[in-house]
Amino acid sequence: MAQFNFDASQVAPQASTGPLPAGTYLAHITESDVQPLKSGNGEGLKLTFEIIDGQFKGRKVWENLNIRHSNEDTQRIAQSQLSALCHAVNVIKLMDTAALHFKPVRISVTVREAQGQYKASNNIKGYESAGSFSASPAPLYTPPPAADTPVWPTAEQEAAKSKAPAWARKG
């Protein structure tokens, strides 16, 4: 046994490092990189988002978009997600991923449950404009819908979605 002098009341406890709860958060991109996919099937855009407001300020969420891929559907989905992000931050002609950095955006986050050797993690399911962002906005964590609210779209929502341009569709 060793003598040790430590006052835990003088040090903030370590915050949870698990996934964020599902919801909508105000965030910005702090890092980005385009790298070859491990599979060799194309290139992926790696994005690091940092929550910039509310209870989870400072936490990070990562997104990987397969922007060039041998599977056309995979590539189309990733490029439509990138388009939604670009529209949300008003960078329509993206020439350098650094142009996306430090621009406030609302991200819709879900939780992917743990599977086998992989821990639970977050997925970004959508991007929206941050609107009129100020230096000290109101907290922007929106909890997920109540358990009795269906998570799938209604027939009316599906019909409306199909009429929207591709970049405006969510999901």
Side-chain angles (χ1 to χ4, degrees):
M1 181 160 57
Q3 287 194 349
F4 188 73
N5 187 9
F6 178 75
D7 182 356
S9 68
Q10 300 301 308
V11 179
Q14 180 179 2
S16 168
T17 58
L20 294 172
T24 301
Y25 299 90
L26 184 63
H28 63 207
I29 295 171
T30 58
E31 298 175 41
S32 60
D33 195 17
V34 176
Q35 295 182 342
L37 297 174
K38 289 179 184 177
S39 66
N41 291 335
E43 292 181 312
L45 173 59
K46 295 181 175 230
L47 301 170
T48 300
F49 289 84
E50 181 178 348
I51 306 304
I52 58 174
D53 196 31
Q55 175 184 358
F56 299 101
K57 183 177 182 177
R59 294 280 305 273
K60 296 189 177 188
V61 180
W62 293 269
E63 179 69 297
N64 295 308
L65 300 174
N66 297 320
I67 54 171
R68 290 187 193 89
H69 200 276
S70 58
N71 181 303
E72 289 181 18
D73 285 338
T74 299
Q75 179 173 302
R76 179 187 50 76
I77 291 167
Q79 288 183 359
S80 69
Q81 291 169 329
L82 179 57
S83 178
L85 172 60
C86 288
H87 279 85
V89 297
N90 200 27
V91 176
I92 305 305
K93 302 255 186 207
L94 183 62
M95 304 301 279
D96 185 327
T97 60
L100 300 172
H101 292 199
F102 304 105
K103 295 186 183 286
V105 61
R106 295 178 204 269
I107 57 174
S108 178
V109 174
T110 61
V111 177
R112 180 177 36 212
E113 297 301 324
Q115 294 180 345
Q117 69 186 33
Y118 299 105
K119 295 179 181 179
S121 61
N122 288 121
N123 281 341
I124 298 176
K125 290 296 183 186
Y127 305 95
E128 295 179 21
S129 169
S132 58
F133 177 74
S134 66
S136 55
L140 282 175
Y141 164 64
T142 306
D148 60 345
T149 304
V151 293
W152 53 88
T154 64
E156 294 83 17
Q157 290 169 328
E158 281 295 325
K161 185 169 94 173
S162 66
K163 294 175 186 169
W167 59 265
R169 295 183 193 150
K170 296 179 183 176

